[in-house]
Amino acid sequence: MRRTLTVAAAAAALLVSAGPLPVAEAGGAAAVAAGRWGVHEAESFWTPERMASAHPLPPGPPEPAAAPQAPAAPQPPVWPLRMPPLPTPPPATPATPATPAPVATPSPSPTPTVTTTQPASTPTPAPAPTPAPVTLPAPGPAPAPPVRPALPRIPAAGPGVGQDFGGLPVVGRMFLVKGGGSYFCTASVVASPGRNLVISAAHCLLGSDTQQVAFVPQYTRAKPRPFGMFPVVRTAAGRSKIWIDQRYRTQGVNRAAALDVAFAQVGPGPKGRRVQDVVGGNRLVTGAGYAHARATLIGHPSTAARPRLCVNRTTKYTSTDARIPGSFLRIACTGYPGGTSGGPFLLRLDGRTGTGDVVGVIGGWKTGGDKPEVSYSSYFGTDIRKLYEKAVAGAKAP
């Protein structure tokens, strides 16, 4: 859904259906929605043909107004692809740029690592001392690595040059049905105690009409299910188990752009195995700062049959638009249009295991940016760590 073609396109993520789930094909989605949603139903619904025809969300209704926290003012929709900004109304409450506390760069760990720091959105009058690292879950024996085919060759290119490649098992497409159509974003497995969580952008998965959600690791058009399909688990009430900060739901994609992150619980694949046991998982790291000398960006462009990889440094971007407040990670990488939303920012990518430390996902400022050559991420600070902890607690394996 990143960098969609019209103003309303990105805002379609906020659509809430008041009636039955529309069908993507006659009888297709409705029949599945009425019953259970396991791997067999997901693979029957998401055929290779339907996956190949999926695309980022189309135009939809405008974004609802933000939750009242100041004198009411219309909330503008997120910016579109390659269109000039709309006129800027006077802000109701000027935003103050965040001043993150200095932190030490965390080291890799065989278990999901979360390093705490002051929230990116909370200004501090003076630098705070660096807090001690916190590892979630508690360190324990490292599990045996998953058995999988050899990783595809990771292309070598100059900094900021995006290239299509064979993909990594830990990154894939997240397919979903919304408003009668079939769509996708990018998602990746994040290491967790239940070994069943994926991370993406919140704007990709927002809305109660987001249904038939399934994660497909290392999707390519030539090999659409190299590791099978992992359906997003549903509650007894039929809602997908997706964790998004409530402020993002109520304030909207602009006002709460600093919280554009979502976690989702996926069920077992076709052989009954958990996703992390099959493809591995990236370690979640928070409080790592904004500037990194070498970050790897992976996404699934809507215009390509394979995923795209790029390596470049990241920098800090602080918004000067009071309607989209906050500070964000920024990376210059060519060729990241719609469909790449939710793609991970990875540090210390291991060419042997195909995993690294995830410090961001494409999203945040203007839902990832208004140009396919520059991408953004919400900062992974205390708010994202707490959201991860909430997802871990709610997605415990039976």
Side-chain angles (χ1 to χ4, degrees), residues 40-367:
H40 299 299
E41 290 78 16
E43 291 189 338
S44 296
F45 181 82
W46 288 110
T47 62
E49 294 76 20
R50 180 173 281 168
M51 287 190 286
S53 65
H55 48 80
L57 286 179
E63 176 183 347
Q69 294 187 348
Q75 186 76 346
V78 70
W79 301 123
L81 166 64
R82 297 192 184 93
M83 291 182 65
L86 300 176
T88 303
T93 304
T96 302
T99 304
V103 296
T105 302
S107 300
S109 171
T111 56
T113 302
V114 179
T115 306
T116 59
T117 186
Q118 294 291 334
S121 59
T122 304
T124 55
T130 302
V134 176
T135 301
L136 295 175
V147 178
R148 54 179 176 243
L151 296 174
R153 184 185 67 85
I154 296 178
V161 178
Q163 294 189 92
D164 294 347
F165 78 124
L168 296 177
V170 77
V171 183
R173 281 191 179 189
M174 182 76 91
F175 291 96
L176 57 101
V177 166
K178 181 187 287 288
S182 302
Y183 309 107
F184 74 90
C185 278
T186 303
S188 58
V189 182
V190 60
S192 68
R195 311 181 71 77
N196 56 1
L197 286 182
V198 296
I199 186 172
S200 188
H203 71 263
C204 290
L205 298 173
L206 198 62
S208 61
D209 65 329
T210 300
Q211 299 287 348
Q212 270 67 281
V213 191
F215 174 66
V216 182
Q218 203 175 352
Y219 171 90
T220 64
R221 195 166 299 169
K223 296 181 179 180
R225 295 180 192 162
F227 298 98
M229 185 172 288
F230 297 82
V232 170
V233 175
R234 289 181 178 176
T235 66
R239 299 289 297 272
S240 298
K241 295 192 72 173
I242 296 169
W243 289 267
I244 296 173
D245 193 296
Q246 185 59 32
R247 290 168 291 178
Y248 193 84
R249 298 181 186 276
T250 57
Q251 297 176 21
V253 299
N254 285 342
R255 179 65 58 182
L259 301 170
D260 191 3
V261 179
F263 295 94
Q265 179 184 352
V266 295
K271 297 183 179 179
R273 300 178 65 198
R274 294 172 292 184
V275 66
Q276 190 177 330
D277 293 328
V278 176
V279 301
N282 296 315
R283 296 165 294 276
L284 178 70
V285 176
T286 64
Y290 296 85
H292 303 286
R294 181 183 176 85
T296 301
L297 188 67
I298 300 175
H300 282 263
S302 57
T303 55
R306 301 191 298 164
R308 173 155 292 195
L309 178 144
C310 172
V311 177
N312 206 351
R313 67 188 181 96
T314 64
T315 58
K316 181 179 180 179
Y317 173 76
T318 298
S319 173
T320 58
D321 188 339
R323 298 169 300 174
I324 315 175
S327 293
F328 307 88
L329 273 71
R330 174 172 56 187
I331 188 170
C333 277
T334 59
Y336 284 77
T340 58
S341 283
F345 286 59
L346 297 175
L347 305 182
R348 294 173 284 276
L349 177 61
D350 188 326
R352 181 182 59 85
T353 65
T355 62
D357 296 339
V358 57
V359 295
V361 294
I362 295 177
W365 191 73
K366 296 185 180 181
T367 59

